Amino acid sequence: FHENVVVEDKMFVWGGRTGTHGPYHSRLDLFSVNILTGEWRGHKALPPEMPTSCCYASAAVIGSCIYTHGGEISMLPFTASDELHQLDIKEMRWTKVEARGAIPTG
């Protein structure tokens, strides 16, 4: 249920679902693992515009930025996200991207 992307020698992992606060609770935790050393690290990404916690989001990397789109916010009742966000991994700062045009559905 997590989102994973590789940037240089690190794989970033975030989101997903846990049973900690109920069986369908989505998370916004952010971790990275150094692929060369195997060392895991937790990150505190900064607002101002963090995405809503979710699972099943899509992600892509351009330079030192990770872009996320969509995802499932809740199963009961089912709620999907159409948010688009950028995470600058050098600054560890989220920014909401204001997209224009028709938003993909489904």
Side-chain angles (χ1 to χ4, degrees):
F1 302 147
H2 292 86
E3 290 74 55
N4 306 294
V5 293
V6 175
V7 181
E8 298 174 1
D9 60 354
K10 293 182 180 66
M11 179 174 70
F12 288 83
V13 180
W14 73 95
R17 185 176 291 142
T18 181
T20 304
H21 301 288
Y24 305 114
H25 177 74
S26 295
R27 302 178 64 104
L28 190 58
D29 297 340
L30 176 64
F31 296 91
S32 67
V33 60
N34 184 307
I35 296 168
L36 303 176
T37 66
E39 181 180 350
W40 281 94
R41 180 175 172 207
H43 298 279
K44 296 278 188 199
L46 301 171
E49 300 167 332
M50 295 177 71
T52 304
S53 61
C54 69
C55 53
Y56 302 118
S58 297
V61 176
I62 301 174
S64 63
C65 293
I66 299 170
Y67 293 84
T68 67
H69 176 257
E72 179 184 290
I73 298 169
S74 174
M75 264 186 84
L76 300 171
F78 175 77
T79 308
S81 169
D82 63 1
E83 296 177 1
L84 178 61
H85 283 83
Q86 174 196 60
L87 174 63
D88 181 330
I89 63 166
K90 292 189 186 300
E91 301 289 327
M92 293 311 286
R93 184 173 303 276
W94 287 103
T95 305
K96 186 172 184 179
V97 177
E98 296 298 331
R100 293 186 287 265
I103 297 172
T105 60

